[in-house]
């Protein structure tokens, strides 16, 4: 038991020490100024009290510590700045109904606030709350980008009337709708198209009349005139190419970056990408000798992409970046065959959707409306690149009280028009930015042009820094700036008061001042010699410190009692316990108060012992206990505790109903047999007991007092008298009866054999004495009768 207790105690000390080492980042930082200190973490503070705050041997960095530790050390003035925030633009979200007064797109607000300024303290998060509300009757720009390779011939016929039909359908959603049209085929180089003169004029076979191949054309800038859309699209002709994948990525890039040519407004931007084939992407251009990566810039001349032969196809990541930058939501309208490919592409492009296009594009209107409703019902926040050391976390509070955190905290789904959701955003800085000017980040909902701008200002210095005295006389003839209660030394100077030059720090003459005598280590190996003065090491535990002129003292290496420094009744100074009143001893573990030794008869230790350090030392070996009143070997002990032992060990006896209340004064330990019961020792006398219960069963136990603990060891099995064993008795009786019966039969048989033999002998004797001739039986008559026929003549 003692070893187990010791192990648990040591484990507790190790764990506690480990937690302190991990937790006290303020001490580990060795901050030499208030500014350095507050950048370590939000728990750290800097004591600006006068120089007397530091004890002899403590370095300037000891001013930086956890706030609670500084208060315990007696610091009155602690520098501990906190972050703050200020809202610079806070226009309320628009509450607008369809049919109300028409607003310009820039006058419609869906996210609030729009601009903030944050002051960030290292390690201290700043929480901001954003509100988003989908505005009703919000303007929409839709650009229809169509594959005009030969396989899309029947689709083009249905798209020619798309303008007016789509305008009519979208009028149910918004009163401000614009539509545009563009087309694409493929890069105009081999092996994507045939470059023979005849094929360049008409790439189709037979009598089909097709237009010359091209990469991308912007046919119609965004317009609210549906008839114009029908007219221009009706004039388009199918073209052709050689390979199956198309050059759609070139077209998507130009639609995204050529905003002026397309006519994008700062409203909801939709692009419908319609095709029945796959796509080329970055690297495929090498087949045509094109090795320059796509530059992501607009290259439209007369609304035609002119650099398809010069730049490679864009990569998927490049497209994602440009679509996101320009707030374009993509709807992929593709045939059933290519659904799996474009669904994988959708997973890589945020705010995109995939719809199944019928063989002739007859369902394109329903496809667009369904995809728009799906995209607009979800809001996803994204932020611009964060400055170094800045982190951001999101928590969303969505419809019906749904709360999401982590990556899901960026979004809310199933939002209807007029629904309002909110986002809690925590922004935390670690350290201080190296940029002189305030940095900024932008947060916006994907697919929307509105954004929130957040200006970041970093708290790099304490308020007391502003009141520093340069070249102060308090810093050894003006060799430093006195600020925040300490000297910040000029370049090349060291020491608490900047009293030394760096080049003279390690000279032998100065080191000699840091030795207690010639036979000791510098600063007792517990510190460093700086300018001839010891600066003691700091401990991870803020409660533990080295001190003294030569760092020869500490407040944690004093004697311990009950695993407490100085027994918890004193303080440790220079490795010696200074005990509180009424306590003495090297570990302050000896109480001078004799009241704890008074027995119930008001005698010290019951007159049978001596009171030492508040505890009785019994001089009569028969008596034990805290006041020498317990006699475990005195007559009557077994009878006194019999009922309690019986109820606790076996659940029987007179006290079984009140056992928990009356019998919890001793520790019960069960053993398997009588040999396992403890034996008497001189230190702790004990009584061996044998008692009988109501069932005439015997139980064995010992009673002893170990220090102040009463212990009872009991044999777990009762020793009861054995009852008659019925089965052997019955078996014996039956066996006896059977054996007796067999014996009687044998006797009868034996008597019969004797009787028969006697009768046979008698018969033999009578036979010997018979009177007739033994040759013929006088009463014998032959069984044969001879009859002679009188008429027989013997012939």
């Amino acid at each position: 038991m003692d070893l187990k207790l010791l192990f648990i105690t040591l484990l507790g000390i190790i764990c506690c020490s480990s937690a302190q080492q991990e937790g006290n980042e303020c001490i580990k930082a060795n901050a030499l100024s208030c500014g350095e200190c507050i950048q370590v973490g939000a728990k750290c503070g800097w004591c600006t009290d006068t120089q007397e705050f530091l004890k002899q041997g403590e370095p300037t960095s000891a001013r930086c510590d956890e706030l609670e530790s500084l208060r315990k050390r007696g610091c009155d003035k602690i520098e501990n700045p906190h972050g703050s925030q200020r809202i610079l633009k806070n226009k309320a979200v628009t509450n607008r109904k369809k049919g109300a007064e028409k607003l310009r797109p820039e006058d419609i607000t869906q996210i609030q606030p729009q601009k903030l300024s944050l002051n960030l303290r290292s390690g201290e998060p700043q929480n901001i709350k954003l509100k988003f509300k989908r505005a009703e009757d919000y303007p929409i720009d839709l650009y229809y980008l169509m594959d005009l390779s030969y396989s899309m011939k029947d689709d083009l016929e249905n798209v020619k009337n798309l303008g007016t039909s789509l305008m009519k359908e979208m009028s149910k959603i918004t009163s401000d709708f614009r539509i545009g049209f563009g087309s694409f085929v493929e890069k105009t180089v081999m092996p994507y198209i045939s470059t023979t003169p005849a094929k360049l004029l008409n790439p189709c076979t037979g009598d089909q009349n097709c237009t010359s191949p091209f990469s991308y054309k912007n046919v119609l800038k965004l317009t609210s005139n549906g008839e114009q859309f029908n007219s221009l699209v009706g004039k388009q002709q199918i073209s052709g190419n050689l390979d199956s994948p198309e050059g759609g990525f070139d077209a998507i890039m130009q639609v995204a970056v050529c905003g002026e040519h397309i006519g994008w407004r700062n409203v909801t931007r939709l692009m419908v990408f319609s095709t029945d084939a796959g796509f080329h992407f970055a690297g495929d251009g090498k087949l045509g000798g094109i090795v320059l990566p796509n530059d992501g810039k607009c290259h439209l001349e007369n609304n035609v992409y002119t650099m398809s032969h010069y730049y490679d196809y864009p990569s998927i990541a490049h497209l994602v970046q440009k679509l996101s930058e320009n707030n374009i939501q993509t709807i992929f309208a593709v045939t059933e065959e290519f659904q799996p490919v474009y669904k994988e592409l959708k997973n890589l492009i945020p705010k995109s959707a995939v719809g199944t296009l019928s063989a002739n594009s007859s369902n394109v209107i329903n496809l667009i409306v369904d995809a728009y409703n799906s995209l607009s019902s979800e809001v996803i926040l994204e932020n611009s690149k964060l400055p170094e050391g800045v982190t951001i976390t999101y928590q969303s509070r969505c419809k019906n009280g749904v709360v999401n955190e982590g990556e899901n905290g960026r979004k809310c789904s199933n939002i209807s028009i007029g629904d309002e959701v909110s986002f809690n955003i925590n922004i935390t800085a670690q350290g201080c930015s190296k940029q002189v000017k305030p940095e900024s980040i932008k947060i916006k909902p994907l697919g929307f042009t509105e954004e929130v701008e957040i200006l970041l200002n970093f708290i790099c210095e304490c308020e007391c820094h502003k009141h520093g005295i340069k070249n102060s006389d308090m810093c050894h003839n003006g060799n430093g700036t006195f600020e925040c209660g300490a000297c910040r030394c000029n370049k090349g100077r060291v020491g608490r008061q900047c009293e030394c030059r760096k080049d003279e720090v390690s000279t032998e003459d100065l080191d000699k001042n840091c030795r207690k005598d010639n036979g000791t280590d510098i600063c007792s190996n517990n510190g460093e010699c700086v300018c001839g003065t010891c600066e003691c090491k700091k401990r991870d535990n803020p409660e533990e410190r080295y001190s003294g002129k030569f760092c020869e003292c500490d407040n944690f290496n004093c004697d311990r009692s009950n695993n407490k420094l100085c027994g918890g009744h004193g303080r440790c100074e220079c490795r010696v316990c200074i005990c509180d009143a009424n306590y003495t001893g090297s570990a302050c573990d000896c109480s001078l108060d004799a009241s704890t030794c008074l027995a119930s008869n008001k005698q010290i230790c019951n007159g049978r012992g001596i009171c030492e350090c508040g505890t009785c030392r019994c001089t009569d070996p028969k008596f034990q206990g805290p006041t020498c009143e317990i006699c475990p070997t005195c007559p009557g002990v077994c009878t006194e505790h019999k009922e309690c032992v019986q109820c606790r060990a076996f659940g029987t006896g007179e006290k079984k109903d009140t056992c928990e209340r009356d019998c919890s004064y001793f520790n019960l330990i069960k053993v398997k047999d009588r040999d396992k019961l403890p034996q008497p020792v001189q230190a702790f006398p004990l009584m061996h007991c044998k008692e009988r219960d109501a069932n005439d069963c015997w139980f064995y136990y010992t009673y002893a007092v170990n220090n102040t603990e009463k212990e009872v060891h009991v044999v777990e099995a009762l020793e009861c008298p054995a009852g008659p064993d019925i089965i052997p008795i019955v078996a014996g009786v039956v066996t006896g009866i059977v054996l007796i019966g067999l014996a009687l039969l044998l006797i009868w048989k034996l008597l019969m054999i004797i009787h028969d033999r006697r009768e046979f002998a008698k018969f033999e004797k009578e036979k010997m004495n018979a009177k007739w001739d033994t040759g013929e039986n006088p009463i014998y008559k032959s069984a044969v009768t001879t009859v002679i026929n009188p008429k027989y003549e013997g012939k």
Side-chain angles (χ1 to χ4, degrees):
M1 291 291 290
D2 293 340
L3 287 174
K4 184 177 179 182
L5 182 62
L6 179 61
F7 174 74
I8 294 171
T9 303
L10 289 172
L11 186 62
I13 295 171
I14 293 169
C15 292
C16 180
S17 175
S18 175
Q20 290 168 341
Q21 289 176 1
E22 290 177 2
N24 201 338
E25 56 186 357
C26 312
I27 289 179
K28 290 180 180 180
N30 285 318
L32 298 177
S33 66
C34 185
E36 292 179 15
C37 180
I38 63 172
Q39 291 179 44
V40 176
K43 295 180 180 179
C44 301
W46 178 270
C47 183
T48 62
D49 283 359
T50 56
Q51 298 271 1
E52 284 73 20
F53 167 75
L54 296 177
K55 293 184 178 180
Q56 190 176 33
E58 287 187 325
T60 302
S61 58
R63 291 181 176 273
C64 183
D65 204 343
E66 293 180 352
L67 302 176
E68 189 60 31
S69 179
L70 288 175
R71 294 188 188 100
K72 286 182 179 179
R73 290 167 59 190
C75 181
D76 296 323
K77 300 175 183 177
I78 300 175
E79 193 76 16
N80 180 35
H82 293 285
S84 61
Q85 58 181 266
R86 186 162 53 98
I87 298 177
L88 303 178
K89 187 177 180 181
N90 193 27
K91 186 179 177 182
V93 292
T94 302
N95 291 310
R96 176 191 179 208
K97 298 294 182 183
K98 192 175 180 182
E101 180 184 356
K102 192 170 184 178
L103 297 175
R104 296 179 302 169
E106 55 267 26
D107 293 332
I108 300 174
T109 304
Q110 297 184 111
I111 192 165
Q112 179 187 1
Q114 295 80 40
K115 190 173 183 180
L116 304 94
S117 175
L118 301 183
N119 292 319
L120 295 177
R121 159 82 187 274
S122 178
E124 182 184 65
Q126 284 295 313
N127 179 268
I128 59 176
K129 184 175 181 180
L130 298 185
K131 182 165 60 174
F132 180 86
K133 183 177 182 181
R134 274 191 66 192
E136 191 169 349
D137 198 23
Y138 194 72
I140 299 173
D141 284 352
L142 185 146
Y143 191 84
Y144 197 93
L145 183 60
M146 185 174 180
D147 175 8
L148 285 188
S149 59
Y150 187 77
S151 59
M152 294 287 286
K153 182 179 179 180
D154 55 345
D155 299 81
L156 179 59
E157 294 301 320
N158 285 313
V159 173
K160 287 178 180 179
N161 297 319
L162 178 65
T164 51
S165 302
L166 188 58
M167 293 284 287
K168 182 179 179 181
E169 190 67 29
M170 294 299 287
S171 65
K172 299 176 183 177
I173 299 174
T174 177
S175 60
D176 189 357
F177 176 73
R178 300 199 311 167
I179 188 170
F181 184 83
S183 59
F184 66 91
V185 181
E186 186 55 276
K187 287 186 180 293
T188 54
V189 295
M190 281 288 287
Y192 312 109
I193 66 166
S194 176
T195 55
T196 60
K199 290 293 184 181
L200 286 175
L201 292 175
N202 184 5
C204 299
T205 59
D207 58 351
Q208 299 292 334
N209 187 22
C210 298
T211 189
S212 299
F214 58 90
S215 177
Y216 162 68
K217 284 182 184 179
N218 176 29
V219 178
L220 176 64
K221 190 175 181 179
L222 289 163
T223 178
S224 56
N225 189 340
E227 294 292 342
Q228 185 184 6
F229 180 94
N230 292 349
S231 175
L232 284 174
V233 174
K235 298 176 183 178
Q236 300 304 304
Q237 286 183 298
I238 291 296
S239 186
N241 61 323
L242 295 179
D243 62 342
S244 176
E246 314 294 2
F249 276 16
D250 274 340
I252 294 176
M253 177 61 77
Q254 294 304 301
V255 172
V257 299
C258 297
E260 292 185 8
H261 294 80
I262 305 299
W264 292 119
R265 299 177 294 171
N266 285 331
V267 296
T268 298
R269 299 174 177 180
L270 299 176
M271 179 178 64
V272 179
F273 182 84
S274 176
T275 184
D276 63 349
F279 48 82
H280 285 295
F281 52 89
D284 287 354
K286 291 180 181 180
L287 295 172
I290 303 171
V291 294
L292 284 178
N294 196 286
D295 64 351
K297 295 180 181 179
C298 182
H299 295 289
L300 292 185
E301 293 183 14
N302 297 322
N303 286 322
V304 176
Y305 180 40
T306 59
M307 301 296 283
S308 68
H309 64 286
Y310 192 75
Y311 290 115
D312 193 6
Y313 302 98
S315 67
I316 295 175
H318 201 179
L319 280 183
V320 170
Q321 178 191 352
K322 292 301 178 181
L323 289 171
S324 177
E325 284 179 3
N326 294 282
N327 307 303
I328 297 172
Q329 304 177 62
T330 309
I331 300 172
F332 294 105
V334 296
T335 54
E336 183 72 34
E337 180 185 356
F338 288 94
Q339 281 286 307
V341 174
Y342 282 90
K343 282 183 178 178
E344 289 297 323
L345 183 61
K346 167 192 170 292
N347 294 333
L348 301 174
I349 301 179
K351 292 294 280 186
S352 64
V354 177
T356 303
L357 191 67
S358 62
N360 57 4
S361 296
S362 59
N363 68 332
V364 69
I365 292 178
N366 291 333
L367 186 154
I368 291 171
V369 172
D370 292 343
Y372 168 73
N373 289 331
S374 173
L375 289 172
S376 60
S377 67
E378 183 177 55
V379 58
I380 304 175
L381 295 187
E382 70 165 0
N383 52 267
S384 59
K385 185 179 179 181
L386 298 173
E388 185 179 355
V390 176
T391 57
I392 187 168
T393 60
Y394 293 84
Q395 182 194 64
S396 60
R397 296 185 177 273
C398 306
K399 195 175 178 180
N400 299 324
V402 177
V403 178
N404 298 317
E405 295 182 344
E407 275 304 305
N408 290 329
R410 292 175 175 266
K411 64 183 179 181
C412 281
S413 302
N414 301 320
I415 302 173
S416 304
I417 292 174
D419 288 343
E420 184 175 292
V421 296
S422 63
F423 295 87
N424 287 321
I425 303 173
N426 281 327
I427 300 177
T428 309
Q430 294 296 335
C432 194
S433 174
K434 297 177 182 178
Q435 299 293 330
V436 178
K437 295 181 180 180
E439 300 198 47
S440 68
I441 59 174
K442 293 181 179 180
I443 299 175
K444 69 175 184 178
L446 280 174
F448 295 86
T449 56
E450 298 173 68
E451 63 184 17
V452 179
E453 184 180 8
I454 304 174
L455 302 177
L456 304 180
N457 300 285
F458 297 89
I459 301 175
C460 300
E461 286 290 352
C462 301
E463 189 67 24
C464 57
H465 170 73
K466 300 177 182 177
H467 309 294
I469 304 171
K470 291 186 177 181
N471 302 323
S472 171
D473 291 337
M474 299 181 72
C475 301
H476 197 267
N477 301 323
N479 286 317
T481 301
F482 187 77
E483 63 178 46
C484 304
C487 285
R488 179 183 281 189
C489 299
N490 295 336
K491 189 175 181 180
R493 305 293 298 191
V494 292
R496 192 188 286 186
Q497 279 85 38
C498 311
E499 63 270 26
C500 287
R501 296 195 309 272
K502 279 189 176 180
D503 55 5
E504 63 182 18
V505 167
S506 299
T507 62
E508 289 188 15
D509 291 338
L510 293 174
D511 286 349
K512 193 179 296 184
N513 294 329
C514 295
R515 297 178 189 270
K516 193 171 185 179
D517 53 58
N518 289 335
T520 58
D521 294 325
I522 294 175
C523 298
S524 306
N525 205 27
N526 292 324
E528 295 180 359
C529 186
V530 180
C531 302
T533 304
C534 284
E535 287 194 359
C536 302
K537 294 177 184 176
K538 288 187 290 185
R539 302 273 295 178
D540 290 323
N541 184 349
E543 303 294 330
E544 299 176 356
R545 293 186 298 276
Y546 291 108
S547 60
K549 183 178 179 181
F550 305 102
C551 300
E552 74 279 12
C553 295
D554 63 59
N555 67 341
F556 55 86
N557 270 325
C558 292
D559 290 342
R560 294 174 180 266
S561 177
N562 293 328
N563 199 35
K564 292 182 179 179
L565 195 67
C566 298
H569 302 298
R571 65 185 186 278
C572 182
E573 291 187 3
C574 205
R575 304 185 180 182
V576 176
C577 285
I578 308 300
C579 300
D580 297 338
N582 288 329
Y583 285 93
T584 186
S586 62
C588 301
D589 53 351
C590 184
S591 173
L592 301 177
D593 184 6
S595 61
T596 56
C597 296
L598 285 177
S600 56
N601 57 9
K602 303 302 180 183
Q603 287 186 313
I604 298 293
C605 300
N606 195 29
R608 301 179 183 277
I610 303 170
C611 186
E612 295 180 348
C613 298
T615 303
C616 284
R617 180 170 64 83
C618 303
T619 54
D620 189 334
K622 290 184 179 180
F623 286 84
Q624 297 179 358
T627 54
C628 301
E629 293 181 90
I630 299 172
C631 180
T633 58
C634 293
V637 170
C638 294
T639 305
E640 179 184 354
H641 302 292
K642 169 188 172 182
E643 295 297 336
C644 280
V645 173
Q646 189 178 352
C647 80
R648 286 190 59 185
F650 308 108
T652 58
E654 296 178 1
K655 291 188 177 182
K656 66 178 181 180
D657 296 328
T658 59
C659 192
E660 188 174 348
R661 184 190 69 194
D662 299 339
C663 301
S664 58
Y665 58 87
F666 60 81
N667 294 328
L668 182 71
I669 302 165
K670 292 184 177 182
V671 297
K672 287 189 176 182
D673 50 54
R674 292 167 63 182
D675 294 336
K676 297 292 191 298
L677 289 173
Q679 300 303 314
V681 294
Q682 187 173 0
F684 302 108
L686 56 81
M687 175 67 78
H688 276 265
C689 301
K690 177 183 177 183
E691 296 293 333
R692 186 163 56 184
D693 63 11
N695 296 322
D696 286 336
C697 293
W698 294 95
F699 58 95
Y700 300 86
Y701 67 94
T702 62
Y703 179 82
V705 180
N706 187 349
N707 292 328
T708 58
E709 295 288 332
K710 300 179 178 68
E711 287 187 351
V712 171
H713 289 73
V714 61
V715 178
E716 60 185 9
L718 292 168
E719 194 175 284
C720 299
D725 197 343
I726 302 299
I727 293 175
I729 293 174
V730 172
V733 171
V734 172
T735 304
I737 292 172
V738 171
L739 292 175
I740 291 171
L742 290 173
L744 290 174
L745 285 173
L746 289 173
I747 293 170
W748 174 82
K749 184 65 176 176
L750 181 61
L751 292 174
M752 290 302 296
I753 291 170
I754 294 171
H755 177 267
D756 289 344
R757 286 183 177 180
R758 284 180 178 177
E759 287 295 321
F760 183 73
K762 185 179 177 182
F763 170 75
E764 287 290 326
K765 184 178 180 182
E766 288 178 351
K767 181 180 177 182
M768 294 294 294
N769 297 326
K771 297 292 186 178
W772 58 78
D773 185 6
T774 57
E776 184 179 352
N777 189 349
I779 62 174
Y780 172 76
K781 288 185 179 182
S782 175
V784 179
T785 303
T786 304
V787 178
I788 299 173
N789 188 353
K791 293 294 184 177
Y792 179 67
E793 294 181 354
K795 292 181 180 179

